Amino acid sequence: MEKAEIGLIGLAVMGSNLALNIAEKGNKIAVFNRTPEKTDEFYESAGDLKKQIIPCKTIDEFVEAIRPPRPIIIMIKAGEAVDQQMEALRPHLGDGDIMIDAGNANFRDTIARFDRLKDSKLTFIGMGVSGGEEGARHGPSIMVGGTEDSWKRVEKVLTSIAAKYNGEPCVAWLGNDGAGHFVKTIHNGIEYADMQMIGEIYGILRDGLGKSASEISKIFGSWNKGRLNSYLIEITEKVLAAEDPVTKTPMVDIILDKAGQKGTGKWSVIEAQNMGIPATAIEAAVAARSLSALKSEREAAQKIFGASDYSFSLPDGSNLEKDLELALFAAKIGAYAQGFAVMAEASREFGWSLPMPVIAKIWRAGCIIRSQFLDEITKAFTDAPDAANLIVTPAFSAMVKESVPALRRVTAAALSAGLPVPALASALTYFDAYRQGRGTANLIQAQRDFFGAHGFDRVDGKDFHHGPWGSGAATF
Ligand code: 6PG
């Protein structure tokens, strides 16, 4: 029997969709699931694709069905289950075989898994996959981390299944060990920021301007035809237009305002903080989800303080919809600039040589944050590869100059109206602080020196590094 080009373990929603995608693109695939009934069920529902699929009931049978060196995708819940599955597989594998974790793993776990296999005949790929169920089935964005040799073994299959942007596949090898999962983590951090900023603009329209869900849907629909064109804006339009089948009122009005999170957004912020890279808009988005979860506390606080009157108004002569659109665009630039800055630092720290234009390229289609905006980021980083930050590239500095005034007007009006806009405001203050040649940290340095004799550098370069308050001058 012809051997499979690749194997896949874990036939839950993401795994089965990915397996069907692999089969549909003409690759033979062996599949295995812990519960064999699931394998039968999957195989029976595969229709014409059955001829590309080898359903296996035992690990031995499964491993035997794949052409060596065997790439095996493990698509199960992130965490300990992955280690258990790897341990169960290990004794069955041979020289050069590659275990591929395609879940949303923490890249530090990926590095540890990679290292554990270092002196063995096996190797490991940490593969970030974005695009949800639909992406897995018809074309996800794929971020690969591992050795170059292992990438070469899987390149053809992954290229065949990845989303395409103008014919270019949205998959790339990004570096060693945890590079792929790290980039996926930052993708998710940006995803959180994008979603939160959209939510804040929705809040202004709903609470500050009294618009209905269907009116707001139309506004997002028109923005989707402009510079904000993206998957998240597109689904926002659709979500806002949807009706609850039970009450026949807008679906969004019936959904509880408590957001979940599985951890990847939080990891991106933790890593940014670990490396000392400001990612304030992403941090604000993660914190906003946590705050949203405190529903009963928020309700109790509203009883004490009352709700704000939310009377949102922009200065006379402003074009409201245009300003909101531009404000969202400016804030989005801030969030992406932060995400890319975190990746640039991680690349140095972990020795990955992360290719920024390539990352922007493979996010242009397939993933949750896909947009034409990412094509502009690709071009900006290609034209200015050594730029310290996205916002100082020639292309983006022009966009920032054009859009930040609107972000300032919108944020100021929202703050005066008592409308919470933490991600928009963080993006704005990030910009303001980033372009401030002389900030206020001189005072912090003085305070640190006052209470702890920490010393400071001087603007005049002279060799006196303590203030006239004496070392440790604090009195208690
Ligand atoms: C993707 C998404 C996906 C993520 C969900 C849920 O790129 O396809 O990022 O991987 O798991 O969006 O994430 P939260 O539950 O943390 O919102």
Side-chain angles (χ1 to χ4, degrees):
M1 188 174 63
E2 189 200 338
K3 297 251 188 208
E5 202 41 45
I6 196 161
L8 183 142
I9 296 180
L11 291 169
V13 179
M14 288 297 281
S16 50
N17 278 300
L18 204 63
L20 290 174
N21 185 3
I22 292 171
E24 190 179 65
K25 301 295 158 20
N27 309 288
K28 197 140 199 153
I29 179 167
V31 295
F32 175 82
N33 196 74
R34 201 159 41 98
T35 42
E37 297 75 37
K38 188 117 196 166
T39 310
D40 288 337
E41 215 177 277
F42 167 76
Y43 184 68
E44 286 317 318
S45 66
D48 287 351
L49 296 175
K50 271 183 179 169
K51 58 182 184 307
Q52 293 295 112
I53 298 169
I54 309 175
C56 305
K57 296 285 168 59
T58 66
I59 288 272
D60 275 330
E61 196 190 322
F62 171 70
V63 169
E64 196 41 45
I66 309 165
R67 176 175 78 79
R70 305 172 182 88
I72 297 174
I73 297 176
I74 299 172
M75 197 52 148
I76 59 179
K77 198 172 175 316
E80 249 173 61
V82 174
D83 292 309
Q84 286 160 9
Q85 186 59 68
M86 286 176 68
E87 284 313 309
L89 254 181
R90 240 182 120 151
H92 302 268
L93 299 180
D95 274 8
D97 286 355
I98 311 158
M99 290 190 263
I100 306 171
D101 177 11
N104 264 334
N106 185 313
F107 83 105
R108 290 186 182 274
D109 292 340
T110 303
I111 292 178
R113 286 170 185 141
F114 185 88
D115 284 349
R116 272 207 296 280
L117 293 179
K118 226 174 201 162
D119 298 318
S120 76
K121 55 194 178 171
L122 309 176
T123 187
F124 188 72
I125 283 181
M127 184 166 102
V129 179
S130 177
E133 200 178 320
E134 189 64 18
R137 178 66 184 85
H138 298 292
S141 168
I142 306 174
M143 296 143 256
V144 179
T147 65
E148 193 166 5
D149 280 349
S150 59
W151 156 244
K152 284 193 180 128
R153 173 66 182 89
V154 292
E155 184 175 359
K156 200 163 147 256
V157 175
L158 296 184
T159 303
S160 73
I161 64 164
K164 308 286 177 305
Y165 182 90
N166 289 342
E168 287 184 73
C170 292
V171 56
W173 173 61
L174 300 172
N176 216 23
D177 51 54
H181 276 144
F182 185 85
V183 171
K184 175 67 195 336
T185 297
I186 300 304
H187 166 283
N188 281 28
I190 294 173
E191 173 185 307
Y192 275 48
D194 249 340
M195 293 168 75
Q196 175 63 25
M197 287 165 174
I198 291 172
E200 290 172 13
I201 295 287
Y202 158 69
I204 293 173
L205 288 161
R206 185 191 68 182
D207 302 327
L209 296 158
K211 295 201 183 295
S212 68
S214 79
E215 285 170 321
I216 304 173
S217 167
K218 289 191 185 87
I219 294 172
F220 276 99
S222 73
W223 289 346
N224 197 37
K225 296 189 184 82
R227 63 202 326 171
L228 288 172
N229 173 265
S230 62
Y231 172 70
L232 283 171
I233 296 285
E234 178 193 326
I235 66 165
T236 304
E237 177 196 359
K238 291 186 177 148
V239 158
L240 285 163
E243 192 181 83
D244 172 29
V246 182
T247 60
K248 309 287 177 213
T249 52
M251 192 69 245
V252 278
D253 294 345
I254 300 299
I255 298 175
L256 198 66
D257 54 329
K258 265 172 99 168
Q261 51 180 317
K262 289 202 280 290
T264 43
K266 180 180 75 184
W267 296 339
S268 67
V269 166
I270 291 171
E271 296 306 334
Q273 291 282 13
N274 278 340
M275 292 184 290
I277 300 298
T280 53
I282 301 174
E283 283 168 20
V286 176
R289 282 210 195 178
S290 303
L291 196 52
S292 83
L294 305 178
K295 174 79 173 166
S296 54
E297 283 183 47
R298 288 190 285 117
E299 283 173 338
Q302 183 170 331
K303 286 201 184 98
I304 298 171
F305 301 110
S308 171
D309 71 354
Y310 297 146
S311 52
F312 180 89
S313 68
L314 290 175
D316 287 347
S318 310
N319 178 332
L320 183 80
E321 280 184 30
K322 187 89 214 132
D323 257 16
L324 290 174
E325 180 187 19
L326 258 188
L328 186 48
F329 185 70
K332 185 179 167 106
I333 294 175
Y336 281 68
Q338 293 176 356
F340 275 91
V342 175
M343 288 191 288
E345 183 57 30
S347 185
R348 286 187 279 274
E349 196 156 319
F350 294 94
W352 286 324
S353 311
L354 294 179
M356 298 305 151
V358 174
I359 293 169
K361 243 184 187 180
I362 64 171
W363 286 352
R364 290 177 304 177
C367 65
I368 302 297
I369 63 170
R370 62 185 178 258
S371 65
Q372 71 172 40
F373 177 73
L374 279 154
D375 193 40
E376 298 182 54
I377 297 183
T378 305
K379 288 184 192 131
F381 278 130
T382 308
D383 295 344
D386 299 323
N389 187 295
L390 181 68
I391 63 174
V392 296
T393 60
F396 273 83
S397 55
M399 290 184 232
V400 165
K401 282 180 192 161
E402 182 200 349
S403 59
V404 161
L407 178 58
R408 192 176 308 287
R409 284 191 291 275
V410 167
T411 304
L415 295 179
S416 318
L419 287 157
V421 287
L424 298 179
S426 299
L428 177 62
T429 41
Y430 172 72
F431 166 74
D432 282 336
Y434 192 81
R435 63 95 183 256
Q436 189 178 36
R438 176 152 173 86
T440 54
N442 49 320
L443 182 61
I444 290 170
Q445 286 297 77
Q447 291 163 333
R448 291 177 70 238
D449 188 57
F450 190 104
F451 62 65
H454 293 288
F456 46 72
D457 290 331
R458 304 171 59 103
V459 292
D460 58 11
K462 289 208 165 73
D463 202 18
F464 296 97
H465 301 288
H466 292 285
W469 34 78
S471 155
T475 48
F476 294 97

